[in-house]
Amino acid sequence: MNTNILIVEDDAVFCKLLTRFLGKNGFLVADAQDGKHAVKLLEEQTFSLGILDYRLPDMDGIEILQLIKEKNPSTKVIIMTRYGDEGIAQLAIEKGADAFIAKPINPTELLEVIQGI
Amino acid sequence: MRLSISKNVHLVEPGDFEATEHWYPRVLNSNIHPLVSYFLNLSHQQMVERYQRLHPSCNPDAILKVLTYQPTYFRWAGTDLMHITNHEGNRKLAVIETNSCPSGQKSMPLLDLNVEQGGYKRLIEKTFKPMVDAQKLEGSLAVIYDKNPMENVGYAATIADAFGENVYLAKFDKADTDPPVLFKEGVMHIRNERDEWIAIRAAFRYVTQEPWTRLPQNTKTLILNPIEACLAGGRNKEVASGAYDHFNNEFKQEGISIFTPKTFTKVPYNELKKYFDIMGGNMVIKVPDSNAGQGVYTVVSEKELVFALSQIDPTDTYLIQQLIHSNYNKGLDPTQAWYHVGTIPDNKGRSYAFDLRLMMHATEEGIRPLAVYSRRSGYPLNQPLPQDMNSWEVYGTNLSIKGEDGWTYADERLMLFDIRNFGQLGLGVDELIKGFVQSAMAVYAIDQNAIRTFGNKQLNA
């Protein structure tokens, strides 16, 4: 698979672990730990998939979702929400997210979600 | 593994250990130097016999007492040593500092190629697990950390395997206003995905930035290492210096002592200039509780003194240490001056200052060496320092680099104890034994200081 993925998540360890895991599964992965870096990466390149945390220090995942879709409507987006944040998941879908996944995240389950969209 | 069960908390499961995640890439492809492997397998008795051959006036029973010591608080430690020489060519391994959350696993080639988890497994199985198994405590297991995820994810995965249960991996940052770790009546708790606080029976701790601001003393949760180890000198150079002095006084008659560069403690800011003059226009200024190379200033000129003074707090006191010089200088006091032995000159003639990081752990048989690596300076000892260059480039060996996006490291200066790098250091088994004995004495000194300060109780009981 030749999917390049942008992970936006402010937990550095999460980013690293997920980046390595997806890298081993054949994806090209870039990561950003805040909205500012995510926007910079989006200006520099086009991604086929964004995996976005909803809660970020400077923006929220919905704002980044909208930027992604404005730039390239064919980019798929998965929003990661906290356990119990069903309202946010619903909002993300309404705003154009292709899927959501609730934390905690099992990397293997995430892989199944990626393959399903 | 279950990622992000709550903010900055992950749940590590048995079977999650991935070797490629917990060593630097070049270490994965390295082979330990046979001489280093030989050293790591020496018995205490062999080391004592050899140390006494090298230091005939020392009492071997005193060295054995130190090496077989069972620390109460300080059961995992790392020392930074420097290989130095004097006017007469007497070489020593000098203790520069002792650390209660030492890094090093990711830089250590496997001692046994058939044991994939290497030093992680030795530390967890021979130090952490016996401590936990010896006490009937209830609750979960955790790794709490504020730096070095490469090693800490490795420790969490190794603990998960060793105990056959899930391990909470929680980031416990100094600046976090809503941390996922808290203490209730001495018991550590970690926040789970339901915002519930889970009691922790034992935790492996790699919290380095002013850990006393968030870890209490005398916890009911068993912690390796407890905060008492930091307060007694494991994370305070000034307190450690006092502990070494106490040790040297206690063991004076036995012919052994901890060797450090000449040190002055509690020096007020406004007296730093006076010390600079007394010490001959060069010295090292250290912020007592600093680490990772931050808060350490090598000063060899008025300009560098002015710079150092501009960087530190005028209301604090400082630790002043004699500078280990780069090159022989006729003007220096031959009874006091020490020089870096330096690396073996490379094919361009460059020799660099280096330190030796020696990680140790308390086992059933006493204190054992666990991991070793070296770091060299950025600029050679034997070339004139360019006018605009700071002397730290010649003397500083720490690899941590604080950047805009967090911490990184200078890989090109990491010297592995493998078949490729180790020879460049010019060290032999005798130096490794000397360095280990010095390091074990430092651990003994700090642990005894903790006992004098906090009492001789069982760990966290």
Side-chain angles (χ1 to χ4, degrees):
Chain A
M1 190 180 290
N2 194 19
T3 304
N4 62 332
I5 299 177
L6 171 65
I7 299 173
V8 188
E9 159 68 55
D10 59 340
D11 179 342
V13 172
F14 181 106
C15 271
K16 196 177 179 69
L17 292 170
L18 203 54
T19 300
R20 295 272 185 105
F21 175 80
L22 294 174
K24 281 182 190 165
N25 281 279
F27 298 101
L28 296 170
V29 187
D31 68 80
Q33 287 167 34
D34 54 40
K36 187 181 147 197
H37 283 91
V39 170
K40 190 164 176 274
L41 285 170
L42 286 167
E43 284 167 359
E44 291 167 356
Q45 49 189 303
T46 300
F47 295 92
S48 45
L49 172 64
I51 301 175
L52 317 176
D53 187 20
Y54 175 72
R55 293 169 200 277
L56 296 165
D58 54 350
M59 292 173 79
D60 68 44
I62 305 287
E63 290 174 272
I64 299 172
L65 158 69
Q66 287 171 325
L67 287 174
I68 288 174
K69 292 289 183 182
E70 276 169 26
K71 189 185 174 202
N72 184 8
S74 67
T75 299
K76 305 285 185 189
V77 173
I78 299 171
I79 290 279
M80 298 184 287
T81 62
R82 268 182 57 184
Y83 176 84
D85 276 350
E86 288 84 3
I88 288 164
Q90 183 64 36
L91 176 66
I93 297 294
E94 284 168 14
K95 296 285 182 185
D98 298 274
F100 70 90
I101 185 162
K103 293 179 178 179
I105 287 170
N106 178 326
T108 310
E109 287 170 13
L110 177 62
L111 197 58
E112 287 167 10
V113 173
I114 293 170
Q115 285 160 348
I117 58 174
Chain B
M1 184 163 321
R2 292 164 65 76
L3 292 171
S4 206
I5 65 162
S6 63
K7 195 73 183 167
N8 288 320
V9 182
H10 310 287
L11 195 65
V12 179
E13 300 168 321
D16 276 343
F17 193 93
E18 284 280 352
T20 51
E21 310 286 330
H22 312 305
W23 276 272
Y24 287 137
R26 59 186 272 220
V27 183
L28 288 167
N29 297 316
S30 68
N31 287 300
I32 194 166
H33 195 284
L35 198 147
V36 178
S37 170
Y38 179 72
F39 157 70
L40 290 169
N41 282 295
L42 287 173
S43 69
H44 282 149
Q45 199 60 49
Q46 286 174 295
M47 292 195 207
V48 170
E49 294 269 352
R50 187 62 184 172
Y51 192 84
Q52 205 214 355
R53 297 297 302 172
L54 301 168
H55 303 86
S57 63
C58 74
N59 176 355
D61 291 339
I63 308 167
L64 192 61
K65 178 182 171 183
V66 169
L67 298 191
T68 56
Y69 179 64
Q70 287 294 337
T72 297
Y73 295 96
F74 199 17
R75 297 181 66 78
W76 171 49
T79 49
D80 292 341
L81 303 132
M82 280 186 168
H83 192 204
I84 62 176
T85 185
N86 68 2
H87 280 64
E88 293 171 334
N90 292 328
R91 289 185 293 155
K92 283 184 181 290
L93 268 300
V95 175
I96 302 301
E97 68 175 60
T98 307
N99 195 320
S100 51
C101 296
S103 67
Q105 301 286 7
K106 60 182 180 288
S107 308
M108 179 66 189
L110 286 180
L111 180 59
D112 179 346
L113 293 175
N114 298 307
V115 181
E116 187 195 44
Q117 295 175 338
Y120 292 96
K121 187 178 170 80
R122 290 202 300 284
L123 177 57
I124 297 308
E125 289 195 347
K126 295 196 169 189
T127 304
F128 185 69
K129 192 166 190 297
M131 287 165 58
V132 180
D133 288 348
Q135 300 194 32
K136 302 289 177 217
L137 298 167
E138 290 188 355
S140 297
L141 296 169
V143 171
I144 56 171
Y145 71 103
D146 62 358
K147 272 178 73 178
N148 197 356
M150 186 181 272
E151 291 187 7
N152 286 302
V153 178
Y155 284 124
T158 307
I159 292 171
D161 282 348
F163 286 83
E165 62 182 283
N166 295 345
V167 175
Y168 289 90
L169 173 69
K171 192 164 193 215
F172 197 13
D173 260 336
K174 190 174 79 171
D176 192 344
T177 53
D178 183 26
V181 181
L182 61 73
F183 285 84
K184 291 182 203 169
E185 297 174 349
V187 178
M188 182 190 292
H189 289 72
I190 290 182
R191 190 190 283 131
N192 75 359
E193 66 270 33
R194 293 181 172 82
D195 273 345
E196 298 161 343
W197 291 95
I198 304 299
I200 302 299
R201 74 180 190 275
F204 183 91
R205 192 260 299 191
Y206 197 101
V207 177
T208 64
Q209 309 292 317
E210 298 182 6
W212 45 85
T213 59
R214 49 214 190 279
L215 295 174
Q217 294 174 30
N218 199 24
T219 58
K220 289 181 182 144
T221 295
L222 191 150
I223 302 177
L224 178 70
N225 284 311
I227 196 64
E228 287 88 341
C230 294
L231 297 171
R235 192 147 290 274
N236 187 307
K237 299 171 174 72
E238 195 161 276
V239 179
S241 180
Y244 302 158
D245 289 345
H246 193 282
F247 177 97
N248 289 348
N249 196 40
E250 183 186 339
F251 284 87
K252 205 174 184 176
Q253 304 304 319
E254 315 295 346
I256 59 172
S257 63
I258 299 168
F259 184 84
T260 62
K262 192 172 183 181
T263 303
F264 300 93
T265 58
K266 294 186 170 62
V267 178
Y269 179 89
N270 58 14
E271 287 187 19
L272 292 171
K273 171 74 170 77
K274 186 176 85 181
Y275 276 82
F276 176 72
D277 294 335
I278 292 169
M279 297 184 83
N282 52 72
M283 63 181 181
V284 183
I285 301 173
K286 295 184 175 182
V287 176
D289 58 8
S290 61
N291 70 85
Q294 308 295 302
V296 180
Y297 302 90
T298 54
V299 177
V300 301
S301 66
E302 292 272 1
K303 188 181 162 192
E304 286 191 347
L305 179 63
V306 170
F307 174 75
L309 294 176
S310 74
Q311 299 296 302
I312 57 179
D313 184 346
T315 62
D316 274 352
T317 59
Y318 295 92
L319 184 132
I320 299 298
Q321 236 167 18
Q322 165 191 21
L323 182 77
I324 308 295
H325 295 278
S326 54
N327 295 305
Y328 172 73
N329 181 338
K330 277 185 181 170
L332 296 170
D333 179 353
T335 63
Q336 300 283 331
W338 290 95
Y339 307 93
H340 285 279
V341 173
T343 57
I344 301 287
D346 64 16
N347 57 12
K348 291 180 178 161
R350 297 172 299 198
S351 176
Y352 297 89
F354 68 92
D355 71 0
L356 188 160
R357 160 61 62 89
L358 207 156
M359 188 193 290
M360 295 154 287
H361 62 145
T363 70
E364 195 178 27
E365 53 187 302
I367 301 169
R368 293 293 304 172
L370 180 62
V372 278
Y373 69 99
S374 282
R375 303 165 294 190
R376 71 160 174 81
S377 62
Y379 197 80
L381 292 163
N382 52 351
Q383 288 182 6
L385 188 68
Q387 237 177 0
D388 57 346
M389 191 178 275
N390 191 291
S391 61
W392 182 255
E393 295 295 321
V394 176
Y395 297 113
T397 54
N398 207 293
L399 303 181
S400 301
I401 300 169
K402 199 174 186 178
E404 278 183 17
D405 295 330
W407 292 85
T408 181
Y409 79 107
D411 177 66
E412 72 281 5
R413 297 195 283 107
L414 172 65
M415 310 281 286
L416 304 181
F417 277 36
D418 64 355
I419 51 178
R420 183 168 178 269
N421 281 175
F422 182 69
Q424 296 165 17
L425 299 171
L427 297 172
V429 175
D430 287 341
E431 282 73 35
L432 295 178
I433 292 171
K434 283 194 231 178
F436 173 59
V437 172
Q438 282 290 318
S439 302
M441 289 193 285
V443 170
Y444 181 104
I446 291 171
D447 192 69
Q448 284 287 305
N449 192 35
I451 290 170
R452 284 192 297 276
T453 309
F454 304 107
N456 189 7
K457 57 204 164 197
Q458 288 298 304
L459 268 169
N460 305 93

